[in-house]
């Protein structure tokens, strides 16, 4: 079988939480050997968060959060309070192609692993920092947490119901976004190194990587001096365009009934005509209030009301299926249960991964979001237990003797 | 110094965001990108805006101008044999082809990896499609809203405990396309690494739905691990993690770690209520959020955003402003980093755009030329590069192939 795209590339992964691990997950998907440098003295917060099987934590290896974003990686535990740990890390970096971290600005320098120091160890090393604010500028020492980066970026000011305050995106979007942009930056740097033999340092600001995704909002301001209004799920050029309640009630949360919704994006006047027929309301196809996109935008509340009345009598899955068959973009608004159990398409594409894990067994995890025809990329193993490969890395890769490893372990350097 | 990807030759058949963003990332690092648009109308993002003065004009659409700077632009009707023939000649000289044609449109014009790899066995061809090129939803229609919903993200946003009547809410803009684009760019460069090693190309099939479903933080795993639905109506596990209104705008309160909460309490001047047992740790603050919120709203409403932001950051508390577009453009930090860039364009004029999402130490991120006017480089690329005669180009233009 063909070798994987990044086979033979080794990554010293100093990352934690989500942004950095999402970055190195992409590289692991592509075949790189990713070694996460962890410590039991301050374990990654995602190892300590739910969900846990049967709701029972009590171990650093049972979190679904950690186990999702660290598939296919190795774990080496080091306690940097002891000098031996620094020697191990330096030796590992000397045998690595890439060093990744998402600490705040300056932390790697303080640990003695700044780029200038690493270059002494390995002249063609590629190093990337995925910090909240970047390495320069007056706020470079500010600290950033995933949830706060979404409002900082400008996305919250743009997101929300019409006339309501700014809303969040619902997840720490800036984290995976920085991670995937970082993975892109790293592979581009590898391509450059292949050609020239030259490594380099990459400064990535999570804030800036988010603003790269907001041209429609930012340019409304730079072109016209106007702050865009929040507009819910509406679209300037399509109507109906929204999410609509269905008949299904899949469960309750905190006493609130969970309704099932469909998302409908009706892109053309012809699709509107089709939709009126599907709704059993053919008279609306010729109603002047609705015949053109402009008319439907002008009467959007009424359009949404009409559509909602109909969808609330329908089951979501069948409705999506029948409207797609009629050529309209409609889907069930999928939650985690729906994705896990009911999305037949993702199942058929073999997207989900079930790798054996010593503490949680074969759990369902999200896999690789692309398929390659010649060098098939796949998740190769479940996430590592904390320190699972410490012994193997120290002896097989770095050449420490059994006695040396034992001595480091006794000092607590491998905690 | 040339950019990191300066030796890479890329052909893009892109509409709206996904493929154009993937190749923008490459073009800004020096790759040569030739963008192929349909004659007459061009990329639909030309009609999307925002437009200066809000007057629609196909050469003044902000989304198009942002996504397509640094690219050469040619027009070819790929549904016509003469158009496809010229396209194949372009592909024969390229390393990478990135497209986001809807699969039924690929079928209609006969664009497939089998055909393209005959033209160029070294070709990396990347198809970024809503659902991927296999499976029962391959030919389903999609827009940003339906993808954000199908990927599982809409369901975790909007409404909330206090407003269960409000529906799931999509994030602003074209986020599905951007995520399809950047994940597609990662996979494409991976395939380029394999090409440099093995001398062989391949087909990369990127599903935007899957790229989104891989970003569900800890929410997806609640079902396989615990049998729990994660939904926007749930209670946050820890607090405060909320936006609140100051005198002059909104600030996002963010206390994840206990020391951050203690820092915030100090910033507030150690009010007595903060010592109440019911606010004793991050979990209790979430359970008693309705009460805590009243105290915090009262305090925050008397503050200004920048002042509270700076005071919190001085105590290592990661608050952030809810930035407006004006805040971003005026930010002293972003100015010092030179984030925003000006790009002159012959028709749209000189405008300010978001700049580099990453800064390299050795190789540049740079804007070398503005987005192409529709068909701007037909003569240069089809004539100069492929050697099509001026007479033939004129003839093909007349019949609408170019």
């Amino acid at each position: 079988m063909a070798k994987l795209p990044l086979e033979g590339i080794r990554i010293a992964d100093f990352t934690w939480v989500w942004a950095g691990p999402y970055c190195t997950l992409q590289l692991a998907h592509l075949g790189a050997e990713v070694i996460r440098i962890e410590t039991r003295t301050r374990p990654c917060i995602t190892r300590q968060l739910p969900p846990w099987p049967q709701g029972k934590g009590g171990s650093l290896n049972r979190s679904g959060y950690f186990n999702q974003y660290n598939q296919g990686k190795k774990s080496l535990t080091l306690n940097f309070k002891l000098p031996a740990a620094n020697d191990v890390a330096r030796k590992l970096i000397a045998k690595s192609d890439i060093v990744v971290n998402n600490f705040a600005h300056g932390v790697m320098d303080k640990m003695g692993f700044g780029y200038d120091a690493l270059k002494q160890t390995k002249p063609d090393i590629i190093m990337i920092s995925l910090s909240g604010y970047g390495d320069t500028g007056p706020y470079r020492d500010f600290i950033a947490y995933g949830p706060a980066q979404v409002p900082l970026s400008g996305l919250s000011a743009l997101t929300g119901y019409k006339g309501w305050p700014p809303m969040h995106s619902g997840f720490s979007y800036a984290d995976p976004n920085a991670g995937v942009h970082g993975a892109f930056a790293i592979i581009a740097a590898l391509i450059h190194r292949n050609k020239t033999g030259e490594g380099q340092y990459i400064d990535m600001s999570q804030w800036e990587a988010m603003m790269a995704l907001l041209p429609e909002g930012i340019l409304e301001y730079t072109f016209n001096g106007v702050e865009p209004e929040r507009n819910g799920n509406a679209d300037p050029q399509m109507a109906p365009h929204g999410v609509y309640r269905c008949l299904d009630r899949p469960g309750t949360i905190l006493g609130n009934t969970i309704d099932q919704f469909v998302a409908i994006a009706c892109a053309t006047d012809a699709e509107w005509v089709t939709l009126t027929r599907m709704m059993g309301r053919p008279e609306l196809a010729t109603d002047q209030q609705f015949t053109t996109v402009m008319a439907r935008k002008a009467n959007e509340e009424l359009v949404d009301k009409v559509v909602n009345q109909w969808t609330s009598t329908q089951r979501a899955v069948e409705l999506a299926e029948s409207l797609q068959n009629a050529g309209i973009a409609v889907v069930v608004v999928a939650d985690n249960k729906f994705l896990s159990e009911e999305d037949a398409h993702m199942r058929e594409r073999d997207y989900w991964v079930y790798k054996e894990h010593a503490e949680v067994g074969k759990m369902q995890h999200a896999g690789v979001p692309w398929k390659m025809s010649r060098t098939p990329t796949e998740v190769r193993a479940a996430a590592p237990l904390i320190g699972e490969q410490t012994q193997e890395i120290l002896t097989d890769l770095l050449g420490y003797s059994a006695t040396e490893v034992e001595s480091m372990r006794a000092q607590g350097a491998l905690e | 110094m040339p950019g990191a990807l300066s030796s890479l030759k890329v052909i893009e058949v892109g509409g709206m965001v996904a493929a154009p963003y993937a190749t923008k990332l490459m073009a800004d690092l020096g790759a040569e990108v030739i963008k192929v648009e349909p004659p007459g109308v061009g990329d639909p993002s030309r009609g999307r805006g925002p437009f200066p003065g809000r007057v629609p004009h196909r050469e003044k659409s902000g989304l198009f101008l942002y996504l397509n700077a640094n690219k050469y632009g040619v027009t070819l009707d790929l549904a016509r044999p003469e158009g496809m023939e010229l396209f194949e000649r372009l592909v024969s000289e390229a390393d990478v082809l990135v497209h986001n044609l809807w699969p039924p449109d690929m079928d209609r014009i006969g664009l497939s990896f089998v055909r393209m790899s005959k033209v160029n066995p070294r070709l990396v061809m990347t198809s970024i499609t809503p659902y991927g090129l296999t499976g029962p939803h391959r030919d389903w229609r999609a827009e940003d809203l339906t993808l954000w919903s199908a990927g599982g993200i809409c369901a975790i946003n909007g409404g909330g405990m206090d407003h269960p009547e409000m529906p799931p809410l999509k994030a602003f803009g074209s986020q599905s396309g951007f995520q399809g684009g950047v994940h597609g760019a990662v996979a494409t460069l991976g395939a380029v690494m394999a090409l440099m090693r093995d001398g062989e190309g391949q087909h990369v099939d990127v599903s935007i739905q899957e790229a989104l479903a891989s970003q569900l933080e800890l929410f997806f795993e609640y079902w396989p691990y615990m049998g729990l639905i994660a939904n926007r109506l749930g209670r946050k596990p820890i607090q405060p993690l909320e936006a609140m209104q100051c005198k002059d705008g909104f600030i996002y309160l963010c206390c994840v770690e206990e020391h951050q909460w203690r820092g915030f309490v100090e910033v507030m001047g150690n009010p007595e209520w903060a010592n109440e047992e019911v606010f004793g740790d991050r979990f209790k603050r979430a359970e008693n959020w309705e009460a805590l919120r009243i105290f915090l709203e009262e305090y925050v409403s008397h503050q200004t955003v920048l002042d509270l932001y700076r005071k919190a950051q001085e105590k290592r508390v990661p608050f952030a402003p809810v930035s407006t577009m004006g805040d971003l453009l005026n930010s002293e930090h972003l100015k010092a980093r030179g984030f925003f860039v000006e790009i002159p364009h012959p028709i749209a004029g000189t405008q300010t755009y978001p700049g580099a999402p990453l800064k390299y130490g050795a190789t540049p991120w740079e804007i070398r030329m503005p987005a192409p006017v529709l068909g701007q480089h037909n003569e240069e690329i089809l004539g100069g590069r492929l050697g099509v005669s001026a007479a033939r180009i004129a003839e093909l233009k007349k019949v609408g192939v170019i």
Side-chain angles (χ1 to χ4, degrees):
Chain A
M1 200 169 91
K3 282 162 105 182
L4 291 168
L6 298 185
E7 209 161 320
I9 299 290
R10 184 173 299 120
I11 294 162
D13 179 356
F14 286 85
T15 71
W16 66 339
V17 200
W18 195 20
Y22 194 78
C23 171
T24 56
L25 178 68
Q26 313 306 315
L27 305 172
H29 285 345
L30 289 167
E33 181 188 10
V34 178
I35 299 174
R36 268 200 69 166
I37 295 131
E38 301 193 77
T39 175
R40 285 189 179 84
T41 62
R42 200 180 172 190
C44 184
I45 191 167
T46 66
R47 284 194 180 275
Q48 305 175 65
L49 288 174
W52 306 292
Q54 294 89 46
K56 288 189 202 113
S59 153
L60 293 171
N61 302 313
R62 290 170 62 81
S63 166
Y65 191 178
F66 181 89
N67 289 345
Q68 170 59 47
Y69 293 105
N70 296 284
Q71 297 179 96
K73 303 179 192 175
K74 295 177 179 173
S75 171
L76 163 69
T77 43
L78 292 175
N79 178 4
F80 285 102
K81 292 190 187 86
L82 292 156
N86 284 283
D87 293 340
V88 173
R90 216 171 303 282
K91 272 195 176 167
L92 175 62
I93 289 163
K95 292 202 163 195
S96 296
D97 302 280
I98 294 154
V99 174
V100 190
N101 83 91
N102 63 320
F103 294 124
H105 166 71
V107 171
M108 287 293 272
D109 283 316
K110 274 182 219 142
M111 291 170 75
F113 300 124
Y115 176 63
D116 289 336
L118 298 192
K119 220 167 39 171
Q120 305 295 318
T121 308
K122 180 108 184 343
D124 67 350
I125 197 84
I126 293 166
M127 179 175 181
I128 186 166
S129 300
L130 307 161
S131 62
Y133 288 82
D135 287 328
T136 61
Y139 298 176
R140 65 184 176 276
D141 293 322
F142 278 20
I143 55 167
Y145 268 57
Q149 294 298 90
V150 172
L152 178 67
S153 74
L155 182 60
S156 283
L158 299 166
T159 298
Y161 308 110
K162 197 181 181 104
W164 282 53
M167 296 282 289
H168 206 269
S169 57
F171 69 123
S172 297
Y173 186 18
D175 276 354
N177 183 60
V180 66
H181 278 83
F184 170 82
I186 287 167
I187 309 172
L190 274 171
I191 290 171
H192 179 74
R193 196 193 68 174
N194 272 2
K195 281 184 313 191
T196 63
E198 180 185 54
Q200 59 183 316
Y201 179 78
I202 308 163
D203 164 19
M204 241 198 71
S205 141
Q206 298 180 13
W207 184 5
E208 289 168 355
M210 273 305 294
M211 287 186 292
L213 314 186
L214 306 177
E216 299 103 314
I218 289 169
L219 299 181
E220 180 66 35
Y221 184 84
T222 62
F223 285 12
N224 296 320
V226 173
E227 294 286 346
E229 285 173 16
R230 289 176 285 279
N231 215 353
N233 292 314
D235 183 274
Q237 297 173 347
M238 291 181 249
H241 188 281
V243 301
Y244 303 93
R245 260 191 186 75
C246 292
L247 188 59
D248 322 58
R249 302 283 178 270
T252 59
I253 284 186
L254 301 173
N256 288 321
T257 303
I258 303 173
D259 293 324
Q260 187 59 275
F261 291 80
V262 286
I264 301 180
C266 184
T268 65
D269 296 338
E271 289 175 21
W272 169 250
V273 174
T274 305
L275 187 61
T276 59
R277 202 182 63 229
M278 304 290 289
M279 291 193 292
R281 302 283 303 274
E283 77 282 4
L284 297 178
T286 50
D287 186 328
Q288 292 302 311
Q289 293 179 98
F290 308 123
T291 43
T292 64
V293 171
M294 271 172 64
R296 290 193 300 281
K297 282 299 293 178
N299 299 300
E300 197 159 13
E301 268 182 46
L302 188 56
V303 172
D304 284 343
K305 205 173 141 194
V306 166
V307 175
N308 241 324
Q309 271 168 1
W310 175 62
T311 56
S312 58
T313 65
Q314 305 290 311
R315 297 212 172 270
V317 173
E318 288 115 65
L319 187 130
E321 194 84 32
S322 62
L323 289 181
Q324 283 284 358
N325 289 338
I328 302 173
V330 180
V331 297
V332 176
V333 176
D335 59 20
N336 57 339
K337 178 188 180 203
F338 187 88
L339 289 175
S340 171
E341 295 192 341
E342 293 163 66
D343 190 308
H345 177 80
M346 294 177 101
R347 198 161 54 227
E348 196 153 312
R349 272 177 67 82
D350 280 330
Y351 174 64
W352 305 110
V353 177
Y354 305 81
K355 292 284 177 192
E356 185 62 38
H357 180 282
E359 289 198 22
V360 303
K362 288 186 178 175
M363 282 290 180
Q364 180 182 25
H365 286 279
V368 184
W370 61 75
K371 298 193 189 305
M372 291 191 175
S373 62
R374 186 175 65 81
T375 60
T377 45
E378 57 175 12
V379 172
R380 287 165 294 160
L385 309 178
I386 189 162
E388 185 174 345
Q389 287 83 13
T390 301
Q391 182 80 30
E392 159 198 330
I393 290 163
L394 291 175
T395 53
D396 301 356
L397 177 64
L398 303 181
Y400 286 96
S401 70
T403 332
E404 286 170 311
V405 174
E406 213 31 65
S407 146
M408 286 192 276
R409 207 178 284 283
Q411 293 169 34
L414 305 182
E415 278 303 297
Chain B
M1 166 73 80
L5 298 178
S6 57
S7 61
L8 198 64
K9 290 195 163 75
V10 180
I11 309 291
E12 176 216 298
V13 184
M16 291 300 285
V17 176
Y21 189 60
T23 60
K24 170 184 166 58
L25 287 165
M26 299 173 200
D28 295 348
L29 298 184
E32 178 198 90
V33 177
I34 300 173
K35 181 180 179 76
V36 179
E37 296 182 78
V41 287
D43 182 332
S45 70
R46 290 180 179 275
R48 193 68 190 168
F51 300 101
R54 295 198 163 158
V55 181
H57 185 298
R58 78 175 183 204
E59 303 301 347
K60 296 184 184 177
S61 164
L63 184 61
F64 179 84
L65 294 170
Y66 169 69
L67 289 171
N68 296 291
N70 281 341
K71 300 178 187 176
Y72 294 95
V74 301
T75 52
L76 281 177
D77 184 353
L78 302 181
R80 307 267 289 271
E82 303 93 323
M84 189 51 99
E85 192 220 15
L86 287 174
F87 180 68
E88 288 183 334
R89 287 173 62 188
L90 285 176
V91 167
S92 71
E93 293 178 7
D95 305 300
V96 170
L97 164 63
V98 182
H99 80 89
N100 64 328
L101 290 168
W102 188 39
D105 287 336
M106 289 175 73
D107 300 344
R108 185 171 54 78
I109 65 173
L111 179 73
S112 68
F113 179 65
V114 173
R115 181 167 176 179
M116 293 301 125
S117 63
K118 272 188 197 133
V119 173
N120 178 359
R122 296 180 74 261
L123 183 73
V124 170
M125 171 167 155
T126 300
S127 303
I128 308 175
T129 60
Y131 294 95
L133 294 174
T134 59
H137 298 172
R138 172 189 186 266
D139 295 347
W140 271 25
R141 293 283 313 278
E143 300 290 347
D144 187 68
L145 170 68
T146 59
L147 279 169
W148 206 245
S149 300
I153 303 184
C154 266
I156 54 174
N157 197 38
M161 259 168 37
D162 316 321
H163 290 286
E165 77 284 4
M166 297 306 281
L169 178 68
K170 102 175 184 79
F172 169 85
S174 312
Q175 302 309 320
S176 308
F178 279 105
Q179 291 308 316
V182 60
H183 284 79
V186 167
T188 302
L189 290 197
V192 168
M193 286 287 288
L195 167 68
M196 290 171 90
R197 182 190 61 208
D198 308 334
E200 283 180 66
Q202 60 181 319
H203 192 192
V204 183
D205 165 14
V206 183
S207 157
I208 297 177
Q209 182 191 29
E210 291 171 1
L212 298 178
S214 70
Q215 299 183 46
L216 291 170
E217 206 158 1
L218 35 59
F219 300 109
F220 174 76
E221 298 300 336
Y222 269 98
W223 186 257
Y225 276 65
M226 297 176 74
L228 291 176
I229 293 177
N231 183 285
R232 70 195 206 290
L233 303 182
R235 187 185 285 277
K236 285 190 185 157
I238 57 179
Q239 284 282 16
L241 285 176
E242 297 285 348
M244 273 190 192
Q245 188 141 29
C246 296
K247 281 195 282 196
D248 58 343
F250 288 87
I251 193 161
Y252 191 82
L253 309 181
C254 181
C255 297
V256 176
E257 315 279 355
E258 290 303 333
H259 67 85
Q260 294 166 351
W261 169 251
R262 288 194 298 273
F264 182 28
V265 170
E266 278 177 43
V267 168
M268 291 189 286
N270 297 303
E272 228 167 87
W273 58 260
N275 299 319
E276 296 287 344
E277 176 57 27
V278 289
F279 306 140
D281 66 41
R282 53 189 163 182
F283 305 109
K284 286 183 184 158
R285 288 190 291 277
E287 280 159 35
N288 301 301
W289 175 240
E290 287 80 356
L292 178 58
R293 182 163 66 184
I294 294 166
F295 289 110
L296 293 181
E297 278 175 349
E298 165 63 18
Y299 170 76
V300 171
S301 68
H302 296 291
Q303 310 302 314
T304 62
V305 176
L306 267 183
D307 190 49
L308 181 53
Y309 176 38
R310 292 210 176 101
K311 281 185 188 153
Q313 285 284 351
E314 272 166 29
K315 301 216 178 276
R316 312 296 286 157
V317 181
F319 288 5
V322 179
S323 308
T324 62
M325 301 306 101
D327 294 338
L328 300 176
L329 268 296
N330 295 318
S331 159
E332 56 171 352
H333 181 74
L334 297 174
K335 274 185 191 157
R337 282 178 62 79
F339 176 69
F340 291 102
V341 293
E342 287 195 341
I343 307 177
H345 183 276
I347 299 172
T350 299
Q351 303 279 8
T352 302
Y353 298 84
L358 42 102
K359 293 189 195 306
Y360 282 95
T363 58
W365 179 102
E366 61 184 353
I367 300 293
R368 301 177 301 280
M369 58 183 182
V373 170
L374 189 60
Q376 183 178 338
H377 302 99
N378 283 343
E379 275 75 19
E380 184 179 342
I381 301 290
L382 303 176
R385 191 80 64 90
L386 299 184
V388 182
S389 71
R392 178 70 179 151
I393 289 180
E395 196 181 303
L396 290 172
K397 268 187 187 160
K398 212 159 134 195
V399 296
V401 169
I402 294 179

